Amino acid sequence: MAELEIITLVENLAYQQSTKGEHGLSLVVRAGGKQILFDTGQSGLLEENALQMGVDLSAIDMVVISHGHYDHTGGLKRFFEVNDHAPVLLKSKALGEKFSGSTGTRRYIGIDREVAEQNAQRFRIIDAITEVSPNLKVITDISHYYNFEQSSQVMIVEKEGRTMADPFEDELFMVYDHPEGLTVFTGCAHRGIGNICRTAMEATGNSNIKLVLGGTHLKGASQGRISKTIDAFLDIDVAKFGLCHCTGLPAFMQFSEEFPEQVRYAHVGTRFQPYD
């Protein structure tokens, strides 16, 4: 059995026969004898794909939610129907009101209010580094290292009666700490993928990164920001990338050109065993 195995359960693209894609992300993480679900996609598709990939959702031990957007939490409704015990770890602000103005009209993009209310006993609020399996930790605070990494202005929250750009105080990520290097799990990296990787290094004291896996929120980013992100990764010296979801094709292609032997698209059904 692999020390660490990751399976992409839900993602925008699906190439494996009988699986489907949707705008969202969900990863199954197997480590230390536990199965952890990192995000749930935006619908009940996670169950459909799980059946095709031999993943038993009823055996999941824990869910970790990277942030409170619908494309990472929408699968919770179906998950709760097939799993009656796994706690859901998230920051308190992930349950807050979240909106997008990307279409010119404000629309709600937060966690389903009814699902959250009906399953409140399943949620476990965390606000500090939490070990969920040996060597696998959830990091709740993301430090700011790169000035070019700024959150989107079209994603908004209501705070103290006023509307403001979402500072993504609800965002968290996971890191697997191994002597060969870190595996960093990111949902969307709204607070910056470079900032997340630097925070992972600072929090663990491990300066080597074996794998960065997940969304990087570079879809629609300027050429300048993509280039600066690549420069940051050249400095950090990441060994491998599993990019997907909100990374965007232009950014993925640019990463592939710069790191031709290191970049892989983490579509539905992709499996990673970083330390084997």
Side-chain angles (χ1 to χ4, degrees), residues 253-266:
M253 294 305 296
Q254 197 165 334
F255 266 77
S256 298
E257 290 172 7
E258 186 65 46
F259 309 103
E261 303 299 321
Q262 298 161 256
V263 175
R264 183 180 180 190
Y265 194 91

Side-chain angles (χ1 to χ4, degrees), residues 49-93:
N49 283 346
L51 290 171
Q52 295 299 326
M53 288 185 267
V55 173
D56 182 3
L57 291 180
S58 69
I60 293 292
D61 297 292
M62 183 181 302
V63 180
V64 175
I65 295 297
S66 66
H67 63 297
H69 278 169
Y70 74 99
D71 52 325
H72 297 258
T73 64
L76 281 172
K77 182 178 187 296
R78 186 62 188 137
F79 179 78
F80 287 140
E81 291 170 354
V82 300
N83 184 300
D84 63 2
H85 64 277
V88 178
L89 278 62
L90 74 175
K91 294 177 73 172
S92 61
K93 286 185 169 58

Side-chain angles (χ1 to χ4, degrees), residues 23-38:
H23 176 72
L25 183 66
S26 180
L27 304 173
V28 176
V29 182
R30 293 170 172 162
K34 291 188 177 181
Q35 293 193 93
I36 293 134
L37 195 64
F38 184 65

Side-chain angles (χ1 to χ4, degrees), residues 61-224:
D61 297 292
M62 183 181 302
V63 180
V64 175
I65 295 297
S66 66
H67 63 297
H69 278 169
Y70 74 99
D71 52 325
H72 297 258
T73 64
L76 281 172
K77 182 178 187 296
R78 186 62 188 137
F79 179 78
F80 287 140
E81 291 170 354
V82 300
N83 184 300
D84 63 2
H85 64 277
V88 178
L89 278 62
L90 74 175
K91 294 177 73 172
S92 61
K93 286 185 169 58
L95 295 167
E97 302 277 286
K98 287 176 167 285
F99 303 89
S100 172
S102 62
T103 62
T105 303
R106 193 175 79 162
R107 58 192 174 92
Y108 183 74
I109 58 170
I111 188 170
D112 186 300
R113 300 179 182 96
E114 184 176 347
V115 171
E117 289 171 5
Q118 291 179 348
N119 299 277
Q121 75 282 0
R122 298 285 293 273
F123 293 109
R124 178 181 162 195
I125 303 301
I126 58 172
D127 57 10
I129 294 175
T130 302
E131 187 169 72
V132 294
S133 181
N135 303 318
L136 183 63
K137 297 177 181 179
V138 178
I139 310 296
T140 55
D141 294 313
I142 301 169
S143 301
H144 190 76
Y145 295 90
Y146 299 103
N147 290 330
F148 68 87
E149 292 193 319
Q150 301 292 334
S151 299
S152 170
Q153 296 299 299
V154 300
M155 294 181 180
I156 52 182
V157 292
E158 289 185 353
K159 192 173 183 179
E160 297 175 354
R162 62 189 182 93
T163 299
M164 60 181 290
D166 193 342
F168 287 99
E169 294 172 331
D170 64 320
E171 188 167 42
L172 54 75
F173 68 95
M174 291 200 309
V175 60
Y176 190 83
D177 190 0
H178 188 277
E180 291 182 20
L182 306 173
T183 292
V184 178
F185 302 85
T186 169
C188 264
H190 286 287
R191 303 198 78 173
I193 188 61
N195 289 332
I196 284 174
C197 288
R198 286 288 182 187
T199 300
M201 294 161 66
E202 177 187 23
T204 61
N206 191 336
S207 60
N208 297 319
I209 296 184
K210 181 84 167 178
L211 174 66
V212 173
L213 177 59
T216 62
H217 215 266
L218 292 171
K219 183 179 181 180
S222 67
Q223 181 65 45

Side-chain angles (χ1 to χ4, degrees), residues 228-249:
K228 288 177 181 178
T229 302
I230 287 174
D231 288 342
F233 279 122
L234 285 168
D235 184 47
I236 294 171
D237 193 23
V238 174
K240 298 285 184 181
F241 299 90
L243 305 179
C244 61
H245 182 43
C246 54
T247 297
L249 187 57

